[in-house]
Amino acid sequence: MPPSSPPEGSLFGGVFGRGRVAAEVGDRAFLQAMLDAEAALARASAKAGLVPAEAAEAIAAACQAGRFDPAELGELAAAAGNPVVPLVRQLAERLPPEAAGHVHQGATSQDVLDTAAVLVARRALAPLLDDLGGAADACAGLAAAHRDTLMAGRTLLQQAVPVTFGLRAAGWLVGLDETRRRLAQVDRDELAVQLGGAAGTLAAFGDRGLVVLGDLAAELDLAEPTVPWHAVRVRPATLASALGTCAGVLAKLARDVALLAQTEVAEVREGGGPGRGGSSAMPHKRNPVAAVAVAACAARVPGLVATVLGAMAQEHERAVGGWHAEWEPQRDLLRLVGSAAAWSRELLEGLEVDPARMRANLDATGGLPMAEAAVAALAGPLGGRRARELVDGAARRAAAGGRPLRDTLLEAPEVADQLGPAGVEAALDPARYLGSAQALIDRALAAHG
Amino acid sequence: MPPSSPPEGSLFGGVFGRGRVAAEVGDRAFLQAMLDAEAALARASAKAGLVPAEAAEAIAAACQAGRFDPAELGELAAAAGNPVVPLVRQLAERLPPEAAGHVHQGATSQDVLDTAAVLVARRALAPLLDDLGGAADACAGLAAAHRDTLMAGRTLLQQAVPVTFGLRAAGWLVGLDETRRRLAQVDRDELAVQLGGAAGTLAAFGDRGLVVLGDLAAELDLAEPTVPWHAVRVRPATLASALGTCAGVLAKLARDVALLAQTEVAEVREGGGPGRGGSSAMPHKRNPVAAVAVAACAARVPGLVATVLGAMAQEHERAVGGWHAEWEPQRDLLRLVGSAAAWSRELLEGLEVDPARMRANLDATGGLPMAEAAVAALAGPLGGRRARELVDGAARRAAAGGRPLRDTLLEAPEVADQLGPAGVEAALDPARYLGSAQALIDRALAAHG
Amino acid sequence: MPPSSPPEGSLFGGVFGRGRVAAEVGDRAFLQAMLDAEAALARASAKAGLVPAEAAEAIAAACQAGRFDPAELGELAAAAGNPVVPLVRQLAERLPPEAAGHVHQGATSQDVLDTAAVLVARRALAPLLDDLGGAADACAGLAAAHRDTLMAGRTLLQQAVPVTFGLRAAGWLVGLDETRRRLAQVDRDELAVQLGGAAGTLAAFGDRGLVVLGDLAAELDLAEPTVPWHAVRVRPATLASALGTCAGVLAKLARDVALLAQTEVAEVREGGGPGRGGSSAMPHKRNPVAAVAVAACAARVPGLVATVLGAMAQEHERAVGGWHAEWEPQRDLLRLVGSAAAWSRELLEGLEVDPARMRANLDATGGLPMAEAAVAALAGPLGGRRARELVDGAARRAAAGGRPLRDTLLEAPEVADQLGPAGVEAALDPARYLGSAQALIDRALAAHG
Amino acid sequence: MPPSSPPEGSLFGGVFGRGRVAAEVGDRAFLQAMLDAEAALARASAKAGLVPAEAAEAIAAACQAGRFDPAELGELAAAAGNPVVPLVRQLAERLPPEAAGHVHQGATSQDVLDTAAVLVARRALAPLLDDLGGAADACAGLAAAHRDTLMAGRTLLQQAVPVTFGLRAAGWLVGLDETRRRLAQVDRDELAVQLGGAAGTLAAFGDRGLVVLGDLAAELDLAEPTVPWHAVRVRPATLASALGTCAGVLAKLARDVALLAQTEVAEVREGGGPGRGGSSAMPHKRNPVAAVAVAACAARVPGLVATVLGAMAQEHERAVGGWHAEWEPQRDLLRLVGSAAAWSRELLEGLEVDPARMRANLDATGGLPMAEAAVAALAGPLGGRRARELVDGAARRAAAGGRPLRDTLLEAPEVADQLGPAGVEAALDPARYLGSAQALIDRALAAHG
């Protein structure tokens, strides 16, 4: 199976399940994670002397997703309200009696399902973090390569003052690094095992509850929580939030790319593989498919984060629906952000940049984006207010008449006197009005490390 | 396949894919709907003289979902950004050359995908409306059967004044009927065919565009829009909103049931099928599984509605991601609300009501919920203010001492003088303090029809 | 006070409180609506013989918002959890004893607050519907005036095939009319009085409950509900949803305007009043301030709709927070959508369109948007497949070499033979490839009426 | 001003603006923060030699919110799209010419507004963190005081197995501490100054941009960002997310309290101040007003977080609406979570716990919550499967007949033989089936520190 294909492919998987994350959050992967939780529980209980070692090993050996049918379990789940109950029953049925009685011993369904969800998150975050890292590396490459590539800075979609494309890429880079760092922190600190038994006291483990809890965490290489978190859902909310922020960063860069790739702007375009971005009806088009896909994935994320946050008001020791409401959205969040990260990496690694067009667009309005620079150049000799008045007038005349700002500026005697043609030329050179752009790019690259 | 089983079952399908809607929104159903759109387009184009009739029939005959692989199409969709492009290619490949060239003629991918989504909605709404109707009928039955069943009305989870369980059910009934009526209206008026061609002009149909549009709508029994709605997304938003409101009504009744089923309240419980509501760890429990499932489904809906609404800001003639972002959420909305409706119907049809416990709970505080009624009874002879003072004092003493309000009221000479024991008894009879409950139930039943 | 100024102005009111709606949803307006509900209740109760007529008139006369302090009531609200309790107390204190005892008689706080919220909605919808109507009229004007103004249709922000600006405006028009019609329907049918008493039975009205309910509705010119809707919140959800859809339509047209106003596109720009759209730092800019404001208002709406929908799971006869959670969001929804409508109307009424620039942009790629039309022209003589191959090749050479499609097409002998220079010219004339654009504009205008 | 009163009080401020946060996010506070940003910018520029020191001091001296009218600025903001433009103009007008020209020098509106929003967050987080700390301390007190107070653990609102109220409080405590720690981290690390000038290059500061940036951060005691974050909105999203998670924790404990305070459960009730929780219509009620208010505040948070996350897709160097859409929601988030924290602290500090009622409720079903414990006790002698069968049967008979589990268990000869009456009694003693509850409470208290 190629890396871009979800193992449980779906009709819209090309857009929403790209990359390697989808495979980690599918039904089969989730089922395996539930079985891994049961196996680890059996082993931890054996270590604590609560389950015979052979029974634990027999249980662990039977915990293979291939032996179970997710759809059947899903259907059976209707009776109890979750798929752990039928899974435990089927698992026990596949074991000799002396092991069967020890399956799931001391635990409740939520312990297994929550721990499985955490394992799924851990396994999904690995490729996600990798793709974010690849995307950030590509951004760093763009920032370095285009540190001097002049481009119009644009505010409210209007050309403002010059920037460089490298600075834009540096902004993306910092966002990617910040969100990647946070996700890595969540991966390390917040992915904790859940074990509490029927109501969080670990009562069915007698006086060995905390020992089993600790060993279970060690067994699965997950964090050990201070107390069971079955109904205090800081951890799922924290993961969802970090994914939400990540989606926002990816959405920002995708929107920038789609805007820069517009026919009328044409400053970048996505690298094309065979057939990439073609239109069935319009042979000449090169659609920004990756940017579209990232935008589509990301647009779905805030609503899912809100769902997870809204589900936190969970009743007593187990919620009436709030807990259940997390199951699919958390997987959707991983899948969508994973897909957006994979698409973003492709997009950034293959991005074709057209510095000449960037320069042409910057010059297309005859120097208007340099008006602020002209004010600055004239403010010394003439004072800020007068400088502003003169430049405002020249800019208005330039815009109205479609003439270069250079010419309308020189029409003003004060300007001609103070700066002369060469001085105006210099004042209007965008390469001289980049402020701290180079230093900011350096800071971004240094922080990327 | 049993009605409760989604055809493309999933691990959590028992909770989120119950009933007959899930089958209508799965990948295979969506694929068939895309093919139905292509087939109808070919036929409408043939009727308009744009495609040879035999070619149209050949196309229509090939439009069978079973011949295509949704997962493969999904993967191929990555190149163009949607699965219609590879579907059209594969469909053409399966046809003789004289028909192949007419596949998808004049249309754009969005025409087919949008029309398919609308067909899916139509097909999903049928069982959804049916389950809502069944739930409403069950509510009507409860309202009629329990019109005199006294129950504590509760505000902010505190007992307030008496109601009847029939009145509560009548409230649910009105909500169900209102939301069902709205969904039926949306089904009838808002589910329109989409056909515009590359940018909404129908240019590739020459001067026959409107004819094809009209015939396509007729062919699929969908509404004909005033203009193509490819980028003005009132219709998807309207459907999503109506589903969102429906989910809220179901969530309300499910929460009520879960609260009434609490161990300490125990006024209702869900009917149990074999194993229904059992707990793996606690043999005595009878969990309100249906109410939990409804709550879980409904909790996920507002975020999805927000996603669809947020996606409406679609660029020019086709959006950068906003359109794509609708695809899965719209299906999720149908699936979740469909599942919630199926669960609700089961819940209401099987609900076990315990009138004796309702009465016992109402009496458990010694008549405090009748304090307002006592004020009313004393206001005539003593004036509202004095009546209120006397009852407030008696209620406080009753609450503090755990004594019946009857007794503390009679301790007040004014009360004893005015009403006497029999008068107090009458004033505190909850069955006499139900106001317009009966008439309101009648109105709800009449509106249900 | 000028129409654009909220009476209780705020720091961000220029963006989010423009137009006449903000004045209708402010604290003072809401307070007056609560008092109007109390006054109407007194009168309806008098009509039903439950309150002396003079007492009712005394109450009604005292129901003037100017006599109360919203902030003080807000602070006092903390004790009971809503501002009706202190309002009723203060109102009674301002009345002679014989009237004071009849204030709020038979009602509960929610009756007054819900009815007030409905009155506020009614009063806010009037200017909102008016601004939507004005915006639609302006759209109709643009659709008619620019029915022949050629513009590039754009999909995924890439030029696709030609449209006219009139057709784009017709699309906005249909969206505006659809959402306006729905809001008017909600205004007429869904804005119902709420009256139920402590738990929805109207018990404190004795056997006169339904009479008072009917008279209260008549008094306030609001709909009469089948049953009290204190805990079944279809009505608030329906209003919120309709506002959400409206916001989406406005967001769509605002985004289109912002994109068309880009420096590099420059096909439209917003009309400027004095100082409108100026930038503090860049004298030459003309920012699309109205489009930005609409986008900002609309971006906040989906989350608020989700909040109202999510609050529907209200417990028993009055919710633990779900009801309260509606109060401010419903007002925010009216204010934001009202502001967006006012901004949109201004934007559309003042929009400056540049047909020459539209044409220039359409021609800038040397005819590539006409590739589909060329395929159509060649499909007759050469067959669809061959026509497509030839045009694809010519389009690729045109795009690569920056040459006109006309020239690269004529390089192909088959094209030259079949069409000749004049035929190619004709095939590439965008004015001849508009399909049903005119008829669609007519349909939109006819539906607008 | 009393702590509970928002300085710019509002009709619903008692519920949504309680505590000290509302005062920090009102219009006047925001205006002062904008002026603080301007003052600090002037001083930092002076330090960098770009502005005369006297001018900077004159500017700083004029930066007092009391001299400006927020509502007027808000109205003037409509022209430019933000209130900074008119504020800068008015500020300059209040200064002598030699200082006026240096106001806002080098900065853009967004620099000032973003930095102000960060200052507002800093100032709002102080009381918010304090209230969260107070709430956590109160929780710690409850956990310690009630470590042995037996209570029914409840899952899906059904009694499950025993817990202690101290363990429940320990769960809340851990959640409060986790969310408080995260918010403190965000306060320290993520609240960074924004300064970039027109498009993020700091060009108008010449080669002194980074020096001014650093000094501005130092001046305001805010973090210094790697690069300007004007269009990469990780920081606002991170703050919003942390607030969202905090709201969820508060919502959880408030819902628990409201459920425990139900008339039929009555295990806790809120402490009452004068008039607190009274009902206008029902004199006997003691409403859980604080829990209701927390629930109401928290219910509004997820939608606002989604809005902030959804606004992250900001165009180029300044967004078309996405930036503006953050302004009010971020303030609403602080206000709502601040109010929820203040209410929660009050609630927890005043909570009245009824251990006797907790025990009575636990015993009310005749020992059924101890069924799991009975299985455990019998599993040793009889094996898990047989033990389960026996207890299941006994539990069913107990539930059906309303008899104590003790009696139905002893009817089984195997049980009577193995355990005898004393053994059964011991097995059914909830105090002996608390597992690791004590140790978990200790862990929570230790982590609280």
Side-chain angles (χ1 to χ4, degrees), chain C residues 226-246:
Chain C
T226 308
V227 297
W229 47 279
H230 45 126
V232 179
R233 308 299 285 180
V234 172
R235 291 168 193 276
T238 300
L239 173 59
S241 297
L243 290 167
T245 305
C246 181

Side-chain angles (χ1 to χ4, degrees), chain A residues 71-402:
Chain A
E72 183 196 3
L73 290 169
E75 199 177 334
L76 294 169
N82 75 66
V84 178
V85 173
L87 176 64
V88 166
R89 193 172 56 236
Q90 291 191 357
L91 180 56
E93 288 165 4
R94 281 152 175 72
L95 287 167
E98 60 275 16
H102 295 293
V103 168
H104 195 65
Q105 185 177 309
T108 193
S109 294
Q110 184 169 5
D111 294 334
V112 170
L113 212 151
D114 274 353
T115 299
V118 167
L119 283 173
V120 163
R122 163 68 48 85
R123 291 162 187 174
L125 283 174
L128 174 47
L129 289 168
D130 186 55
D131 280 340
L132 286 176
D137 289 345
C139 259
L142 290 168
H146 293 284
R147 56 162 64 237
D148 299 315
T149 303
L150 285 165
M151 178 174 82
R154 294 170 176 99
T155 58
L156 314 186
L157 293 181
Q158 302 293 303
Q159 290 194 7
V161 300
V163 299
T164 72
F165 181 64
L167 182 61
R168 175 74 66 82
W172 299 342
L173 172 61
V174 170
L176 286 169
D177 279 342
E178 286 173 344
T179 194
R180 189 184 182 285
R181 213 167 290 134
R182 174 66 183 150
L183 274 170
Q185 190 184 39
V186 170
D187 186 24
R188 191 186 62 228
D189 298 341
E190 305 286 337
L191 298 187
V193 78
Q194 160 60 22
L195 187 69
T201 58
L202 294 159
F205 297 99
D207 60 359
R208 308 292 285 156
L210 292 183
V211 173
V212 177
L213 176 65
D215 282 343
L216 182 64
E219 188 83 35
L220 294 169
D221 193 23
L222 295 173
E224 181 183 340
T226 307
V227 298
W229 47 280
H230 44 126
V232 179
R233 308 300 284 181
V234 172
R235 292 168 192 276
T238 300
L239 173 59
S241 297
L243 290 167
T245 305
C246 180
V249 171
L250 301 175
K252 190 272 182 286
L253 74 85
R255 184 167 291 187
D256 279 1
V257 167
L259 288 168
L260 294 175
Q262 287 174 104
T263 305
E264 298 83 3
V265 179
E267 298 183 359
V268 305
R269 64 179 194 166
E270 294 189 4
R276 171 65 66 84
S279 161
S280 60
M282 293 157 288
H284 61 286
K285 286 186 67 178
R286 173 91 154 268
N287 287 322
V289 174
V292 168
V294 173
C297 291
R300 296 174 53 191
V301 165
L304 294 168
V305 175
T307 298
V308 174
L309 292 177
M312 290 182 75
Q314 305 205 348
E315 292 87 359
H316 296 322
E317 273 72 34
R318 180 144 39 261
V320 176
W323 170 51
H324 313 70
E326 293 173 4
W327 302 345
E328 291 188 347
Q330 185 171 323
R331 293 162 74 189
D332 284 343
L333 280 168
L334 289 163
R335 177 171 59 95
L336 292 169
V337 180
S339 188
W343 275 111
S344 295
R345 181 182 196 163
E346 279 186 63
L347 186 166
L348 291 163
E349 288 178 346
L351 194 69
E352 299 172 11
V353 179
D354 186 341
R357 181 69 184 245
M358 287 176 173
R359 181 65 203 242
N361 285 338
L362 179 59
D363 292 342
T365 54
L368 288 177
M370 294 307 297
E372 186 189 76
V375 174
L378 289 164
L382 301 175
R385 178 172 305 191
R386 182 66 189 141
R388 178 79 188 245
E389 281 171 9
L390 286 166
V391 175
D392 278 9
R396 263 195 301 275
R397 292 195 307 278

Side-chain angles (χ1 to χ4, degrees), chain B residues 154-160 255 261-264 279-285 287 365 368 372 388 392, chain D residues 154-160 255 261-264 279-285 287 365 368 372 388 392:
Chain B
R154 293 169 176 102
T155 58
L156 314 185
L157 295 181
Q158 301 293 302
Q159 289 194 8
R255 184 166 293 187
Q262 288 174 103
T263 305
E264 297 83 5
S279 162
S280 60
M282 293 157 288
H284 62 286
K285 286 187 67 178
N287 287 323
T365 54
L368 288 178
E372 187 190 75
R388 177 80 187 245
D392 277 9
Chain D
R154 294 169 176 101
T155 58
L156 314 185
L157 294 181
Q158 301 292 303
Q159 290 195 8
R255 184 166 292 186
Q262 287 174 103
T263 305
E264 297 83 4
S279 161
S280 61
M282 293 157 287
H284 62 285
K285 286 185 68 177
N287 287 322
T365 54
L368 287 177
E372 186 189 77
R388 177 80 188 244
D392 277 10

Side-chain angles (χ1 to χ4, degrees), chain D residues 107-372:
Chain D
T108 194
S109 295
Q110 185 169 5
D111 294 334
V112 171
L113 213 151
D114 274 353
T115 299
V118 166
L119 283 173
V120 163
R122 163 69 49 84
R123 291 162 187 174
L125 284 175
L128 174 47
L129 289 168
D130 186 57
D131 279 340
L132 286 176
D137 289 346
C139 260
L142 291 168
H146 293 283
R147 56 162 64 236
D148 299 315
T149 303
L150 284 165
M151 179 173 80
R154 294 169 176 101
T155 58
L156 314 185
L157 294 181
Q158 301 292 303
Q159 290 195 8
V161 300
V163 299
T164 71
F165 181 64
L167 181 62
R168 175 73 66 83
W172 299 342
L173 172 60
V174 170
L176 285 169
D177 279 342
E178 286 172 346
T179 193
R180 189 183 183 285
R181 214 167 289 134
R182 174 66 182 149
L183 273 170
Q185 190 184 38
V186 169
D187 186 24
R188 191 185 63 229
D189 298 342
E190 305 286 338
L191 297 187
V193 77
Q194 159 61 22
L195 187 69
T201 59
L202 295 159
F205 296 99
D207 61 357
R208 308 292 284 157
L210 292 183
V211 173
V212 177
L213 176 64
D215 282 342
L216 182 64
E219 189 83 36
L220 294 168
D221 193 22
L222 295 174
E224 181 183 340
T226 307
V227 297
W229 48 280
H230 44 126
V232 179
R233 309 299 285 180
V234 172
R235 291 169 193 275
T238 300
L239 173 59
S241 298
L243 290 167
T245 305
C246 180
V249 171
L250 300 175
K252 189 273 182 284
L253 74 85
R255 184 166 292 186
D256 279 1
V257 167
L259 289 168
L260 293 175
Q262 287 174 103
T263 305
E264 297 83 4
V265 179
E267 298 184 358
V268 306
R269 64 178 194 167
E270 293 189 4
R276 172 64 67 82
S279 161
S280 61
M282 293 157 287
H284 62 285
K285 286 185 68 177
R286 173 90 154 268
N287 287 322
V289 173
V292 168
V294 173
C297 290
R300 296 175 52 190
V301 165
L304 294 168
V305 175
T307 297
V308 174
L309 293 177
M312 290 181 76
Q314 305 206 347
E315 292 87 359
H316 297 321
E317 272 73 34
R318 182 146 37 264
V320 176
W323 170 51
H324 313 70
E326 294 172 3
W327 303 345
E328 291 188 346
Q330 185 171 324
R331 293 162 74 190
D332 284 344
L333 281 167
L334 289 163
R335 177 171 58 97
L336 292 169
V337 180
S339 188
W343 276 112
S344 295
R345 181 182 196 163
E346 278 186 62
L347 186 165
L348 291 163
E349 288 178 347
L351 194 69
E352 300 172 10
V353 179
D354 187 341
R357 181 68 185 244
M358 288 176 172
R359 181 64 203 240
N361 285 339
L362 179 59
D363 293 342
T365 54
L368 287 177
M370 295 306 298
E372 186 189 77

